[in-house]
Amino acid sequence: GCDVAVGSDACGPTVEQALLGIRDFEGGESRVTTVLLPHDAQRDPLTRLRGIDPMAEDDGGFEAALREYPPYVDHAKACAAALSRGGAALVIGGSGLFDEEAFAALQQLEAATGCALVVQNNFSRCDRGGTRPRFRRVPYFPAAAKAFFASYKAVVCVGCKPPVAMFGYEDNISRVVDNALELDAMDVVGALNYLAKHVVPGAPAAQVPPMARGDMDETGPLTAPVLCQVLAWLQPADAIVVDESLTTGATYWDCSLIGGLPFTHLTLTGGAIGSGPCLAVGAAVACPHRRVVNFQADGSALYSTPALWCQSREGLDVTTIICKNDAYRILDVERATQGLGSGGSKSKRLTDLSGPAVDWVSLARGYGVQGVSVKTAVDLRMALAESFRTPGPFLIEACIQ
């Protein structure tokens, strides 16, 4: 690779000379460049470099990369052949989950080969609903994920690495898919277009079961599945759903398209909980004309409650739904999955949030955010409707039974 230390004699003392050194580097076949940039160098003036235009279009995309690296052509064709044989899963990441040109290519691939369009369990962004592709989501737990992929004859990954387990378990499952073909491409859209041009039409498209609203008791206690259904049914068109619901939202993916409206789905991409409220702030700032819904587990939310103050200060259109079960339930689930048992009283207290219980409505008001508490589906429906027609932030404490 090309290792550059700005300010050293190796590539010159200035940022400009360092960039020129990177441009002219020809040693080896690595495409990796490591730049060490001291703090003072970040303040150096940077004029327009001859031959380097930071605002120029890309370097030609995936097809140009294949011309640059001819040995990779056979691998790309092997990926297309694997899809052509039928019974394959196409796992998509990056811009393949929100770019309209990518969606057109995905629908071509699905129609031509019958491949299943799959997203990893912890994806960063996926635009869904409306006329967009219907994706299948990899299950969270390793054994279930491994069984999911076992039903396919081949797995091709574009824009992402092959899925792996989040944690280590006694079953020793780390990789949930064996022998996956990975089409390594910065230009995900270009890679999907390449596959669409090179697959051989064959099997009919796999049928994804339609979503139905289902029955629910709107006057009974609010349960997690009912909460997911109510949100899915009422979320407005083009909403941005920041989903850190964890255990409460286990059924949300399966019912989230019952309203049929387009929306953007953002999730927790790693194991570090608490990003939801902050992510909602960023989404609302970036898209001020779209309603943001923060579907939020209560334990995770405690990591980042000051985001509510920011929402109030900036007048952001964020509806926060706190899934109040008074517990770090995901940690209880993980503990059980690890075979550690329920533990004693002190162990249970580590994941218990009921002593004292958090009053989320009062907490929200302390940050300047309007809030209500609901215990039934009908109350949740009314609170959501009020929040969607009220400018600015709004918090709903959903008490889960």
Side-chain angles (χ1 to χ4, degrees):
C2 178
D3 298 326
V4 179
V6 175
S8 71
D9 294 336
C11 287
T14 69
V15 175
E16 293 181 13
Q17 290 175 320
L19 291 176
L20 289 171
I22 295 169
R23 183 197 66 180
D24 297 334
F25 178 75
E26 297 180 352
E29 297 182 356
S30 173
R31 290 176 290 166
V32 176
T33 298
T34 302
V35 180
L36 304 179
L37 191 64
H39 182 267
D40 58 347
Q42 297 176 31
R43 298 193 299 269
D44 287 353
L46 183 62
T47 59
R48 192 184 189 88
L49 296 177
R50 185 162 49 96
I52 297 182
D53 183 359
M55 301 303 293
E57 295 296 323
D58 59 37
D59 59 0
F62 184 74
E63 302 256 7
L66 289 182
R67 292 191 294 270
E68 186 73 18
Y69 302 95
Y72 203 65
V73 174
D74 289 341
H75 177 70
K77 289 182 177 179
C79 292
L83 294 174
S84 299
R85 286 190 287 271
L90 177 57
V91 186
I92 311 105
S95 59
L97 297 178
F98 54 81
D99 185 278
E100 292 298 328
E101 185 180 348
F103 288 165
L106 288 171
Q107 288 167 333
Q108 284 182 305
L109 286 164
E110 184 182 34
T113 70
C115 66
L117 305 180
V118 178
V119 299
Q120 304 218 36
N121 185 272
N122 297 318
F123 57 87
S124 58
R125 171 185 172 184
C126 183
D127 284 3
R128 307 174 60 213
T131 60
R132 294 160 178 165
R134 290 281 298 276
F135 297 101
R136 306 181 186 207
R137 190 178 186 182
V138 178
Y140 174 78
F141 289 107
K146 198 171 183 68
F148 172 86
F149 282 113
S151 64
Y152 299 104
K153 297 177 181 178
V155 177
V156 177
C157 300
V158 179
C160 62
K161 296 290 184 181
V164 296
M166 174 69 73
F167 297 110
Y169 299 99
E170 287 191 356
D171 55 19
N172 293 320
I173 297 176
S174 178
R175 294 185 178 276
V176 299
V177 57
D178 297 319
N179 303 318
L181 294 171
E182 181 187 348
L183 196 56
D184 184 14
M186 295 293 290
D187 178 17
V188 177
V189 177
L192 293 173
N193 281 327
Y194 175 90
L195 291 174
K197 288 192 298 183
H198 287 82
V199 294
V200 177
Q207 295 299 312
V208 180
M211 293 183 178
R213 180 177 181 181
D215 297 325
M216 67 174 113
D217 179 7
E218 291 197 350
T219 61
L222 188 61
T223 64
V226 167
L227 169 54
C228 292
Q229 280 198 349
V230 174
L231 172 59
W233 190 251
L234 294 181
Q235 62 192 40
D238 293 320
I240 300 174
V241 178
V242 177
D243 183 2
E244 198 186 6
S245 54
L246 302 178
T247 55
T248 298
T251 62
Y252 175 71
W253 175 273
D254 291 332
C255 67
S256 55
L257 298 182
I258 56 178
L261 300 175
F263 73 102
T264 293
H265 196 169
L266 311 181
T267 71
L268 175 70
T269 57
I273 57 177
S275 65
C278 305
L279 188 57
V281 169
V285 170
C287 304
H289 303 298
R290 300 173 66 182
R291 170 60 64 166
V292 177
V293 179
N294 179 199
F295 191 19
Q296 184 64 47
D298 56 351
S300 301
L302 287 174
Y303 285 81
S304 46
T305 57
L308 295 173
W309 178 84
C310 186
Q311 294 170 18
S312 176
R313 178 185 176 91
E314 302 300 329
L316 303 178
D317 292 335
V318 178
T319 297
T320 299
I321 305 173
I322 296 294
C323 308
K324 181 179 169 63
N325 56 18
D326 291 325
Y328 283 107
R329 190 71 69 211
I330 186 62
L331 299 184
D332 288 334
V333 172
E334 289 289 354
R335 181 172 58 188
T337 305
Q338 294 281 9
L340 300 178
S342 59
S345 59
K346 291 185 178 180
S347 177
K348 292 179 180 178
R349 191 170 183 269
L350 292 174
T351 59
D352 176 45
L353 298 177
S354 63
V358 179
D359 183 343
W360 285 96
V361 175
S362 295
L363 188 150
R365 289 173 180 164
Y367 283 123
V369 175
Q370 183 177 351
V372 296
S373 182
V374 299
K375 296 182 179 179
T376 66
V378 66
D379 289 342
L380 174 62
R381 180 163 52 81
M382 294 174 62
L384 282 172
E386 182 182 359
S387 78
F388 294 154
R389 64 173 177 261
T390 303
F394 196 103
L395 182 140
I396 301 171
E397 178 188 74
C399 300
I400 306 298
Q401 301 299 310

